[in-house]
Amino acid sequence: MAGEAMDIEVAEQKLKSMDHAEQHYFNSYNHHGIHEEMLKDEVRTRSYMNAIVQNKHLFKDKVVLDVGCGTGILSMFAVKAGAKHVIGVDMSTIIFKAREIAKVNGMEDKITFIQGKMEEIELPFPKVDIIISEWMGYFLLYESMLDTVLYARDKYLEKDGLLFPDKATIFVAGIEDGEYKDEKIGFWDNVYGFNYSPLKETALSEPLVDVVEVKAVVTDPTSVLTLDLYTCTTEDLAFSCPFDLTARRDDFIHALVAWFDIEFSACHKPIRFSTGPHTKYTHWKQTVFYLKDVLTVQQGEKIECSLHNRPNEKNKRDLDIKIQYRLETQDPTRQAEGTCLFKMC
Amino acid sequence: MIEHCKEKYGLDFLAIRDRLQLDFHGTVRLINFIRQKVHEGATLPEEITAADLEDDRYLKPVLDDDALILCLDDLPEAGKPAAAAVPELSQFLSNAGANGAKTADAPMVDSLLLKNAELQAELEQLSKQFSNYRLAVQQTLDQRWQADEDTGDTKPSASSDSKDSKDEKPKDDSAYYFESYAHNDIHEVMLKDAVRTDAYRDFIYNNKDLFAGKVVLDIGCGTGILSMFCAKAGAKQVIAVDNSDIINKARENIFNNGLDKTITLLKGKMEEVILPVKQVDIIVSEWMGYALLYEAMMPSVIYARDRYLDPVNGLLVPSHANIWLAPVSDQEYLADHITYWRDVYGFDMKAMQDGIFADARPQISPARTVCGTPSAFRFLDLHTIKAEDLVFTAKWESTFKQSDSADQLLLDGFLVWFDMFFARSRVDHFIVPTTTAAEWAPKTDKNEERVAFTTGPFGTETHWKQVLMLLDKTKIKETEVVDGKKIAGEITYATAEGHHRGLTLKVTWGVEGQKQDQTWKLH
């Protein structure tokens, strides 16, 4: 989960002050296990492959920039689609593997891999025609590389250049999750006979990245953020959105679940994929926000909610998320209202 | 710390306190006075006088979030009785002196004796509170000085920019190590590892007679669960040490469960904290890492054992450990993680395979992959083992087992795991180097005094998993798994270079005399 992503982060920080033996350590398989997980995420990798390889008319003879190229798979797809040249940029040492891989696949002349920060390196081309990037994090925005992609867009993308993908939407729905909430949150009420409530508070304030079954979803989903990558700015990543959730059936709501959809609208036939509970598993899973109350809802009732998200002031990679909810009913015993604060870190 | 001040700085804190007859507030003034001087970089006067401390600003803490103040918060009753008792006591002493002359005055003597007993009880109570207070002061000053020392020696190495920064490295990875235990997740995983937590609970609760009235040291207390088990089992005092920030949660947990009178928490490294006692009766610790010795926490336990544990009757919980190795054949795993890279969406990504053979991988291996008898290669009597024994080379031997598979199996690697034993006494003749957890403590009766568990592939999964070392087939000669045939060799545990909490594992093996070897890192 998030831990592995963090390992790489830590590895990168340490990397600078390291000798070769240690670089090798951070270059080792265990620490690159995350790339295996991402490549094996079929929904993710196949969507990118289709978006690129099926659109040779867009890639032919173009200069392509791959932001956060990892093992170089997207760069190689772009070469396959006829790109004139691809530049792969990544801060992680995985890029050394990408270089080896491109070579054994006979693409070393077509791809230039540059290790470093997008903001600090110099590209061999003043402008690029297409930017491809798999930048999404949990809850779309957590530890995401979107700000780097936007930087690259503003600095390098041609006026009529294309972004792959170019649209991202976050959705939210209410879920019945009593059993798991008890296992994850209730656990701290009684740990081998002891009261562990201080850890319960922490557990409640941390969104949980996990798989939610579609049958747990009680309300219609609502979008809370839509990003058009051609026009959005880093300021848009701090956002507030009021929204309503309408109950599809009589049930309880223990939590809100969030996921995102990704779209490649430049394609001849638009390609999109979702990371929601209604579709195939992805390594992003879903993100669950447990509420303090359990809401008792009847079919057709609306829960008035709002979601506020902003990067933490001290640590920009962490997200501070506030969720407010209010259930107005004729039945005063079911009325509920609350504010929950979360921190993704 | 007090000794440290005395030796290194010639500052005899206790002597000054006694000389100036400082009450609690006075002592606070003294601490802040010293801190202020240190803070200003000024030298302390030869002899600190009462006049030096008069300024009321010394009632204001010099350090923010001072542990001293936290301590006063924790012990709201500490200040008042202490301040009141000192004059009362001296009055009593002068009365007693005067009394010597009028021994005939019997009722007076009785009331004085009564008074004496009361005051003695009060004094005992106070000295207990004061030792807690001293502890907090010690910790604060230790931290302070530690911080000074740290900046002192990192500065030159940071500016020198040299490649040879070995001295600095262990510090860095330790910082990361302690930091990694600061979050909820890892503690949730450990607490929910029922094999682990049940074992400690069962041993402590089923052997309450061992714990009743005893002083216990919990090394690496985490959320405080083992300390609370010990307190519940009747320990007189539990001292819990951890260098991770999780100890703040432990403090809350312990308070919320009403065990704060029994459990004293100390934040810091085991080698650096100063315990409020000279000796402890029991050390309880959950120090085990992957392949038993990854994380290198055992040396801290050994240090504490040699320094604090009663050398005659003191007990370590757990008391013994056994490390095992078995040959494995796991085609499925190879296909998933190695063959996979041959064709990834049409691309050759074999470059990604490299490290897989160089790294020992913590992961659950199904029992069916074990293709030979397990071999217990290293037995650790934790009461007697020395730090240098943790780096070793040991022999192992296994007999290949018949498999149901029609295909010819090949040796794909080795699996390492460990068993832990919790004995009631320092010597248990029934634990021998080849004892398994299941043999020594069969799970028949819940109230068994003996407790043991395995982290092996034939037991319930634990968060330690097993450690898999895959053979690099590009470099070694294939070994066929032939039923009944013996395979033997050696295994070496060494500290990983440049990563002192990591391990380097080397295995040699051979069938009928041919020797091969491979080395893996566990980082």
Side-chain angles (χ1 to χ4, degrees), chain A residues 7 22 24-25 28-30 36 39-40 45 76 97 105 183-184 187 192 194-196 198-199 202, chain B residues 169 176 184 188 192 197-198 223 225 249 252-253 257 336-337 345 348 351-352 354 359 361 498 523:
Chain A
D7 280 348
E22 279 184 301
H24 180 79
Y25 152 55
S28 72
Y29 188 86
N30 284 352
E36 182 174 341
L39 288 167
K40 285 183 172 173
T45 312
M76 294 194 292
K97 290 284 171 201
N105 289 282
E183 192 183 307
K184 293 297 290 187
F187 170 73
Y192 284 83
F194 298 111
N195 166 359
Y196 261 57
L199 284 103
T202 316
Chain B
K169 288 256 168 58
Y176 177 58
N184 264 26
E188 184 176 347
K192 285 185 173 172
T197 314
D198 284 3
T223 61
I225 188 82
K249 296 285 181 194
E252 284 186 64
N253 285 337
N257 289 284
D336 267 7
H337 298 280
Y345 291 88
D348 174 346
M352 293 295 289
D354 283 3
D359 288 339
R361 316 190 82 195
H523 283 169

Side-chain angles (χ1 to χ4, degrees), chain B residues 91-117:
Chain B
Q91 192 190 357
F92 166 69
L93 288 175
S94 63
N95 279 351
N99 252 0
K102 334 180 203 168
T103 39
D105 204 340
M108 180 74 164
V109 170
D110 279 353
S111 86
L112 275 172
L113 283 177
L114 191 68
K115 183 90 176 153
N116 188 0

Side-chain angles (χ1 to χ4, degrees), chain B residues 210-217 234-237 239 275 277-284 305 308-317 383 424 426:
Chain B
L210 289 179
F211 289 85
K214 296 293 172 57
V215 177
V216 180
L217 171 62
K236 181 170 76 182
Q237 185 183 12
I239 301 145
L275 300 198
V277 295
K278 279 217 169 68
Q279 199 176 69
V280 301
D281 303 305
I282 297 174
I283 291 178
V284 55
R305 178 198 69 193
Y308 297 110
L309 188 65
D310 174 347
V312 183
N313 296 311
L315 185 66
L316 269 166
V317 178
H383 286 98
R424 275 179 57 89
R426 296 171 69 87

Side-chain angles (χ1 to χ4, degrees), chain B residues 82-93:
Chain B
V86 175
E88 221 174 321
L89 191 63
S90 55
Q91 192 190 357
F92 166 69
L93 288 175

Side-chain angles (χ1 to χ4, degrees), chain B residues 50-171:
Chain B
D52 283 328
L53 307 180
E54 247 171 34
D55 193 332
D56 272 351
R57 74 189 167 116
Y58 295 126
L59 282 173
K60 191 173 166 280
V62 175
L63 298 180
D64 288 341
D65 298 322
D66 201 319
L68 161 65
I69 283 163
L70 296 178
C71 170
L72 288 176
D73 280 348
D74 284 349
L75 305 163
E77 73 281 19
K80 275 187 190 160
V86 175
E88 221 174 321
L89 191 63
S90 55
Q91 192 190 357
F92 166 69
L93 288 175
S94 63
N95 279 351
N99 252 0
K102 334 180 203 168
T103 39
D105 204 340
M108 180 74 164
V109 170
D110 279 353
S111 86
L112 275 172
L113 283 177
L114 191 68
K115 183 90 176 153
N116 188 0
E118 280 171 20
L119 285 171
Q120 251 175 14
E122 197 172 349
L123 189 65
E124 200 174 319
Q125 166 86 10
L126 282 173
S127 57
K128 223 176 174 180
Q129 285 171 355
F130 193 72
S131 74
N132 275 340
Y133 163 79
R134 259 168 52 191
L135 212 61
V137 175
Q138 275 171 21
Q139 280 181 278
T140 318
L141 286 181
D142 273 348
Q143 277 169 11
R144 175 87 196 168
W145 279 318
Q146 186 59 41
D148 289 349
E149 281 166 24
D150 280 351
T151 44
D153 56 39
T154 49
K155 258 180 204 155
S157 61
S159 60
S160 72
D161 217 7
S162 78
K163 278 182 193 163
D164 192 2
S165 47
K166 282 219 169 93
D167 292 346
E168 191 191 333
K169 288 256 168 58
K171 250 185 206 167

Side-chain angles (χ1 to χ4, degrees), chain B residues 282-330:
Chain B
I282 297 174
I283 291 178
V284 55
S285 180
E286 196 276 82
W287 52 268
M288 296 82 78
Y290 295 134
L292 189 65
L293 298 177
Y294 176 73
E295 285 187 53
M297 189 173 156
M298 189 58 201
S300 296
V301 176
I302 293 174
Y303 171 88
R305 178 198 69 193
D306 294 346
R307 173 137 185 210
Y308 297 110
L309 188 65
D310 174 347
V312 183
N313 296 311
L315 185 66
L316 269 166
V317 178
S319 58
H320 299 78
N322 222 345
I323 327 180
W324 297 79
L325 177 145
V328 289
S329 180
D330 194 351

